[in-house]
Amino acid sequence: MLLTPFEWTIAKRYMLPGRGEAFIALVAGISLAAVMLGVAALVIVMSVMNGFRAELLDKIVGLNGHAIIQAYGGRLDNWQSILADVEKTPGVVRASPLIEQPLLGNFNGRVEAVLVRGNTLTDIRRLEDKRVSGSLADLQPGAGKVAIGARLAENLGARVGDTITIINPQGRSTPFGTVPREIGYEVAAIFEIGIFDYDQAYVVMPIADAQTLLLTGDSIGMIEVKTTDPDEVTQILEPLQKKLAGRAVISDWKTINASLFEALAVERVAMFVVLSIIVLVAVFNILSSLIMLVRAKTRDIAIMRTMGATRKSLLRIFVTLGFVIGALGTAAGLLLGFVFLFFRQPIVHAIERLTGQSLWDPSIRFLTELPSRTDPFETTVICIMALGFSFLATLYPAYRAASTDPVQVLRYE
């Protein structure tokens, strides 16, 4: 909408009301601040929720792959042939044998539930970027060394070089009953994945050591599969599912974590709708401020009409006024939102120090830090929505201003 010099001059004059119109200026300022806060809240919340989903997916998939192939009964015999079929499947990037078994860990009288994870040496090396201390290269078959999660190390009080005991209840049978199998392993490395539940339970060791500990022979627990596209994992592995019918079942990351990601999706939509109402309320403030401005400027509008101003000119002037308020509020909201997201972790820590409350408990939130990932498309939708609402809010006041009858207003002047 292009304004003539006359229209732009009047619009700039009305953007900064005079002394007698301080209340109108206050309402307009509140409208701008409300739009700013609404847009900022939407950007912050949606970015955090997108970040939470993306980080959770990256960490879960990065550790467990996009799907797992597990035999009925939990033991996969003759797994080499199955592994070969998986690797030949189009769309499969990587397939690795895996053993996972919940057991008990003991160190200096402290006992914790652990999840023993037997990996190939190649998969163990992929934890290098998560390593906090020690050396993953020391984890070799038969070396009697393991890597443990950072939270588990804290709970047990163990450090690199200490020896922890892994207890397997399925031990040797004796005349006096079953004797649990207890084997000591030296802690060679400590890692931090970033998911609390994993960091407080995982004990990683070479797959051959896990087979020895669990007395499983050459069998494994499952095969971990990574594909070219995690969202298309079901379609990619569908031909393989037919081959393995009756022998094993394929579970992808969507099935394994269905309840978690469905809850996140529902919450994401709900938060977007609720926070959009804040922007809508802010737009009503723009509407009310423009209505008050039109009433306060009725005489000026009538004079402009008698001097030749057209209805379209008045319509454009007041639409521009409200739209500028909405645009400035939207821009300020984006800036505020991005600043908050950039300094989100220090802000969280500052609020925790002021209130004495823990706002981000990793044991509840899964992740150790507040995540963020801004989606350009969503940000664009938020801006268009705020600007669209602001434009719609200007139509009624602008129509009232354009409909002013100069004869009625100036009759007794």
Side-chain angles (χ1 to χ4, degrees):
M1 184 185 299
L2 298 177
L3 300 182
T4 65
F6 161 72
E7 294 167 352
W8 183 241
T9 300
I10 300 300
K12 286 193 293 184
R13 169 66 183 83
Y14 285 171
M15 285 178 195
L16 300 171
R19 290 183 179 178
E21 297 143 2
F23 181 72
I24 297 175
L26 176 63
V27 173
I30 292 174
S31 303
L32 191 151
V35 173
M36 176 187 71
L37 293 176
V39 171
L42 268 172
V43 170
I44 292 169
V45 171
M46 298 310 295
S47 296
V48 168
M49 297 197 72
N50 286 338
F52 189 84
R53 182 186 184 278
E55 287 292 317
L56 202 58
L57 177 59
D58 288 346
K59 292 180 184 297
I60 290 175
V61 168
L63 188 67
N64 294 325
H66 298 152
I68 59 171
I69 300 173
Q70 191 168 15
Y72 296 106
R75 284 195 177 187
L76 200 59
D77 298 315
N78 301 320
W79 54 271
Q80 290 87 350
S81 60
I82 298 176
L83 181 64
D85 290 338
V86 175
E87 291 175 336
K88 294 176 184 176
T89 303
V92 172
V93 176
R94 186 181 76 242
S96 304
L98 174 68
I99 293 176
E100 265 191 9
Q101 183 68 36
L103 298 175
L104 292 176
N106 176 32
F107 178 73
N108 281 348
R110 298 183 182 180
V111 179
E112 292 285 337
V114 300
L115 191 62
V116 171
R117 184 180 176 91
N119 282 118
T120 63
L121 295 181
T122 302
D123 289 333
I124 291 175
R125 300 297 177 267
R126 292 193 178 94
L127 288 174
E128 185 62 36
D129 60 335
K130 310 296 183 184
R131 180 176 56 85
V132 175
S133 59
S135 173
L136 291 171
D138 293 339
L139 270 69
Q140 298 293 333
K145 296 184 178 182
V146 296
I148 64 175
R151 302 287 84 77
L152 178 60
E154 291 178 4
N155 294 340
L156 290 175
R159 294 176 295 180
V160 173
D162 292 335
T163 299
I164 64 172
T165 302
I166 306 298
I167 305 171
N168 180 9
Q170 295 179 347
R172 302 186 310 274
S173 297
T174 69
F176 302 99
T178 301
V179 177
R181 185 176 177 78
E182 300 183 15
I183 299 180
Y185 294 94
E186 181 184 338
V187 177
I190 295 175
F191 59 85
E192 184 171 10
I193 296 168
I195 298 180
F196 186 85
D197 289 353
Y198 293 172
D199 291 334
Q200 76 166 353
Y202 269 136
V203 174
V204 176
M205 63 177 65
I207 195 167
D209 291 354
Q211 289 172 334
T212 301
L213 171 64
L214 299 173
L215 303 173
T216 58
D218 188 43
S219 65
I220 62 171
M222 61 193 77
I223 294 176
E224 175 187 279
V225 182
K226 187 172 183 179
T227 61
T228 52
D229 186 354
D231 292 323
E232 300 294 330
V233 61
T234 303
Q235 291 78 3
I236 292 173
L237 297 181
E238 186 175 359
L240 192 63
Q241 179 71 73
K242 296 177 181 178
K243 290 183 181 179
L244 298 177
R247 298 168 59 193
V249 60
I250 300 177
S251 302
D252 59 33
W253 65 270
K254 298 177 184 178
T255 304
I256 298 171
N257 305 284
S259 58
L260 176 60
F261 285 102
E262 285 178 7
L264 285 176
V266 172
E267 186 177 3
R268 185 166 167 269
V269 173
M271 292 299 293
F272 184 85
V273 172
V274 170
L275 292 174
S276 297
I277 296 175
I278 298 177
V279 179
L280 191 59
V281 171
V283 166
F284 278 114
N285 286 334
I286 296 177
L287 175 65
S288 61
S289 65
L290 285 179
I291 290 175
M292 287 189 291
L293 182 62
V294 169
R295 290 182 63 85
K297 298 294 184 181
T298 300
R299 185 173 178 274
D300 293 358
I301 294 169
I303 292 173
M304 285 190 288
R305 286 294 311 280
T306 60
M307 294 176 65
T310 64
R311 292 178 182 271
K312 286 186 178 180
S313 292
L314 293 172
L315 195 68
R316 285 198 290 264
I317 289 170
F318 284 93
V319 167
T320 300
L321 282 173
F323 188 78
V324 166
I325 293 174
L328 291 176
T330 301
L334 286 176
L335 180 61
L336 178 62
F338 291 146
V339 169
F340 184 95
L341 291 172
F342 185 79
F343 295 104
R344 63 188 182 278
Q345 209 58 40
I347 291 173
V348 169
H349 292 326
I351 295 174
E352 287 178 340
R353 285 193 295 268
L354 288 174
T355 61
Q357 300 292 325
S358 176
L359 299 181
W360 192 263
D361 186 352
S363 63
I364 299 174
R365 310 289 185 182
F366 293 101
L367 303 179
T368 53
E369 290 187 354
L370 180 67
S372 171
R373 183 170 296 187
T374 303
D375 184 350
F377 176 76
E378 278 188 353
T379 303
T380 302
V381 170
I382 291 170
C383 292
I384 292 174
M385 180 186 69
L387 294 174
F389 284 167
S390 300
F391 174 76
L392 293 176
T394 65
L395 295 181
Y396 175 71
Y399 172 77
R400 289 295 302 270
S403 302
T404 299
D405 186 354
V407 175
Q408 294 294 331
V409 175
L410 301 176
R411 175 179 294 177
Y412 301 107
E413 293 291 335

